[in-house]
Amino acid sequence: MLKKYLIAALGGSLLSLNFHVRAENSLPGVSGVVYDENGDPVAGATVAVAGSVTGAVTTDIQGRFDIADAPAGSRLKINYVGMKPSVTEIVKGKSSYSVVLYSSVEELDDIVVVGYATQRKVDLTGSVSTISPAALADRPVTNVANALAGLAPGLSVSNSGGNTPGYESQTITVRGQGTLNNSAPLVVVDGVTGVSLSDINPQDIDNISILKDAASAAIYGSRAANGVILVTTRHGMQAAPRLTYSGNVSFETVAKRMNLVTDYADFMEIQNAALIANGQAPRFSQGKIDEWRNDAGQNPTIYPNTDWQDHIYRNPSVVQNHNLSVTGGGKRARYNISLGLVDNPGMIYYTDYRRYQLRSNLDVTIKPWLTVGTDIFGYIDNNNPSAENATAGGDVIFGSGAFNTVPGMTLYDPATGLYGGIQNPEEENVSNFNPYRRQWFYKSEFPTRTRRIVTKLYARLQPLKGLSIQGSFSYNYWDRRVEQHLTDRDLYRFTADGPVLIREGVVRTYIRRYNYADNYRSSDITASYSFKLSDLSATVLLGASQEYDKNE
């Protein structure tokens, strides 16, 4: 199999060559000319004295430079984009130097994945960006889509639903919004579509290519109108078995808490002032305001000043990500097997998420001209059912949740195990909701379970020099089961004489169960022939593919 290499963007990098010139005498200033390997002068090369405060100079149109202060023993550094650097030692008695810079062609021979085929970087005509696995490994995230942010020009990643693990919603665009409808790029993982970036373990990635322009539509059709993200996972190599562990522990916190009115006495005064300004009678009596202000600190259960953010958010949330892989193989077979665990309890209580994942890539060389292989990927994840409702909105935070409550409410009394409602009888809106109770509303011993299994079988024949024929069959199955045994809780007002029932919980006599499934399979065959005519290199690619997708 042709090995694929990740490369960094060429623009802006400075490449160099080491070489030394020796002579006999000593002068404080030096001059010289910079040539390329063909003997032509290099204009615009940067020349500087290492470790000196003297500013760098650039060569003129004839490649000449002049450094006023370069004492013996110092070194000149000469750099030019696309060429290897030179480090030239200044020695006694020599004031003029000729420096030769050699082209750096190694990166131009690197291979970039561009769909069903690969190309040398020097042959690229379309706009393609690549992302190295090291760039992803440096980021302690469990979601590849989030990790891509800021790593490639023209690629934009925005995230919503970050409070609910497993229900994150990423919006990825390549070169901005390209349509009034879905503007997401096509994601292809090891030649298989229908796999989300958030499903992939970042540690399994070997390279990522981002096809940005319309040329990608020649391979993938109209689906590539918004760009293509090509992900290739790690495969085995001919080497002794190598066991690798990687893991990280990170902490998630609420970036900025809201500045709420949590003193209920202040809250009542503000409400009264608003009603009076509107020509209405005040709702709360001055006696109740004074009672609350005087007794709140002595009995916080009866006279609460509640900030619901203290009860809803787990701060911090400790996220763990562990990965174990083994890679190796011989002349005949090469393998890469990895196991992963993601454990994210979530920043909102009872939105915990856990995922177990497996990837196995196997390549077998049966004959020098015949290679077969299989890529298997799968995961199982579990969510607390309240995570789905926290994401959907209205039950925990919005609507019927925290945004519709007041500080004069005891959310939960550990001494009695009861959930509280409005503590002030003067409060007309007795339907204000207890968000802590809403969290328990969907809490169940039946977590939401999601499974995915992706299998790809392929064979590659190389019967003639330059000719490669490859066929593959892929199967992608996904299902999700949601089961909610709804439970309700009575709401009480806590008094000095004991709790008083103010709202009876409605007993649900039914359960909610949802089952989703998606079956996707595809097959394709491609033939490519590469040849050279004098200095011309060309590749002809011919292929056909078929897909089937059924969603239930």
Side-chain angles (χ1 to χ4, degrees):
M1 174 180 284
L2 181 63
K3 187 174 181 181
K4 305 174 182 66
Y5 296 89
L6 281 173
I7 57 174
L10 184 61
S13 61
L14 297 178
L15 312 168
S16 278
L17 158 79
N18 293 328
F19 100 55
H20 303 276
V21 179
R22 302 180 185 273
E24 295 289 327
N25 300 318
S26 164
L27 284 175
V30 295
S31 60
V33 183
V34 179
Y35 300 98
D36 63 17
E37 54 196 315
N38 297 319
D40 297 323
V42 178
T46 301
V47 184
V49 179
S52 172
V53 296
T54 303
V57 300
T58 56
T59 56
D60 60 18
I61 194 170
Q62 295 179 337
R64 295 177 299 190
F65 66 89
D66 191 356
I67 298 288
D69 185 12
S74 62
R75 293 191 174 192
L76 292 182
K77 288 188 175 181
I78 301 97
N79 296 282
Y80 190 74
V81 175
M83 293 185 174
K84 298 178 181 179
S86 162
V87 179
T88 301
E89 184 178 349
I90 304 301
V91 294
K92 286 185 178 183
K94 189 171 181 69
S95 60
S96 181
Y97 296 85
S98 294
V99 181
V100 178
L101 297 181
Y102 294 90
S103 297
S104 177
V105 297
E106 292 83 354
E107 288 193 354
L108 300 180
D109 288 329
D110 285 345
I111 303 300
V112 180
V113 182
V114 289
Y116 288 98
T118 57
Q119 286 187 351
R120 291 192 312 155
K121 182 180 178 181
V122 70
D123 296 331
L124 285 177
T125 57
S127 179
V128 181
S129 291
T130 58
I131 298 175
S132 69
L136 298 176
D138 290 341
R139 300 189 168 193
V141 295
T142 58
N143 191 312
V144 173
N146 291 337
L148 292 179
L151 293 183
L155 181 70
S156 174
V157 180
S158 60
N159 188 23
S160 62
N163 288 340
T164 50
Y167 287 90
E168 298 96 343
S169 177
Q170 290 86 18
T171 300
I172 302 177
T173 57
V174 176
R175 290 182 170 176
Q177 187 85 11
T179 177
L180 294 177
N181 302 306
N182 183 10
S183 60
L186 175 68
V187 176
V188 183
V189 181
D190 287 334
V192 181
T193 60
V195 179
S196 171
L197 282 174
S198 59
D199 293 340
I200 309 170
N201 183 354
Q203 305 299 325
D204 289 338
I205 294 177
D206 184 50
N207 64 54
I208 296 178
S209 294
I210 301 172
L211 314 184
K212 302 178 184 179
D213 54 23
S216 55
I219 296 293
Y220 295 106
S222 61
R223 294 179 300 174
N226 298 308
V228 183
I229 298 178
L230 298 173
V231 180
T232 303
T233 60
R234 299 180 188 273
H235 280 247
M237 62 185 72
Q238 185 175 338
R242 182 177 63 185
L243 185 67
T244 303
Y245 166 80
S246 63
N248 62 69
V249 177
S250 57
F251 301 87
E252 294 183 346
T253 62
V254 178
K256 184 178 181 180
R257 289 172 51 130
M258 288 179 286
N259 185 17
L260 304 176
V261 178
T262 58
D263 188 298
Y264 190 53
D266 291 343
F267 176 86
M268 289 187 284
E269 289 180 341
I270 294 171
Q271 289 280 308
N272 283 348
L275 291 171
I276 294 172
N278 199 36
Q280 297 175 275
R283 176 181 301 172
F284 304 104
S285 66
Q286 187 61 43
K288 183 60 67 173
I289 295 175
D290 295 338
E291 177 184 346
W292 217 278
R293 198 175 297 279
N294 295 330
D295 297 340
Q298 301 176 21
N299 197 334
T301 302
I302 299 177
Y303 300 97
N305 290 321
T306 300
D307 184 347
W308 58 262
Q309 298 173 106
D310 296 333
H311 302 268
I312 297 298
Y313 294 130
R314 179 188 282 110
N315 207 7
S317 171
V318 182
V319 183
Q320 299 184 63
N321 185 12
H322 304 281
N323 301 279
L324 186 67
S325 66
V326 57
T327 305
K331 293 182 178 180
R332 291 282 185 180
R334 285 128 347 245
Y335 57 87
N336 179 76
I337 302 172
S338 67
L339 298 170
L341 167 65
V342 175
D343 185 11
N344 189 346
M347 285 188 291
I348 296 179
Y349 284 104
Y350 314 123
T351 59
D352 43 286
Y353 174 77
R354 176 169 289 193
R355 182 175 69 197
Y356 305 90
Q357 51 199 19
L358 165 71
R359 181 175 295 276
S360 174
N361 294 343
L362 176 65
D363 305 299
V364 179
T365 302
I366 299 176
K367 295 289 185 179
W369 48 269
L370 175 61
T371 300
V372 298
T374 177
D375 299 336
I376 300 175
F377 164 67
Y379 69 83
I380 298 176
D381 69 28
N382 294 303
N383 277 82
N384 192 294
S386 60
E388 183 176 9
N389 295 281
T391 301
D395 286 329
V396 176
I397 303 295
F398 303 101
S400 303
F403 280 0
N404 196 28
T405 190
V406 296
M409 177 187 291
T410 301
L411 302 187
Y412 178 73
D413 179 26
T416 59
L418 301 178
Y419 292 81
I422 297 298
Q423 284 296 112
N424 183 4
E426 294 179 350
E427 174 67 64
E428 293 179 2
N429 188 11
V430 295
S431 63
N432 280 322
F433 293 98
N434 183 335
Y436 194 62
R437 165 180 168 269
R438 302 299 291 185
Q439 287 182 306
W440 280 85
F441 195 76
Y442 293 101
K443 186 175 183 294
S444 171
E445 65 273 20
F446 299 98
T448 297
R449 186 208 64 201
T450 306
R451 299 181 301 183
R452 184 185 291 279
I453 180 71
V454 182
T455 303
K456 179 181 179 181
L457 305 173
Y458 68 90
R460 182 171 59 253
L461 291 83
Q462 295 175 303
L464 301 173
K465 182 179 179 180
L467 176 63
S468 178
I469 302 173
Q470 179 166 309
S472 68
F473 172 80
S474 303
Y475 177 70
N476 184 354
Y477 174 78
W478 174 92
D479 71 44
R480 172 171 289 171
R481 184 200 68 188
V482 182
E483 183 169 332
Q484 298 172 349
H485 291 205
L486 304 186
T487 57
D488 208 343
R489 298 289 191 274
D490 297 335
L491 294 183
Y492 293 84
R493 178 179 296 123
F494 301 101
T495 69
D497 297 327
V500 177
L501 179 65
I502 59 174
R503 183 174 180 179
E504 186 175 359
V506 179
V507 178
R508 299 311 205 264
T509 57
Y510 61 90
I511 66 171
R512 294 177 179 174
R513 178 179 294 162
Y514 307 89
N515 291 287
Y516 310 88
D518 184 77
N519 286 275
Y520 170 87
R521 59 179 182 265
S522 67
S523 56
D524 62 69
I525 183 169
T526 59
S528 63
Y529 182 63
S530 300
F531 58 93
K532 292 190 68 174
L533 294 175
S534 184
D535 292 333
L536 173 67
S537 298
T539 299
V540 178
L541 175 68
L542 179 68
S545 65
Q546 184 181 49
E547 299 182 20
Y548 170 86
D549 194 7
K550 181 181 180 182
N551 185 273
E552 299 177 287

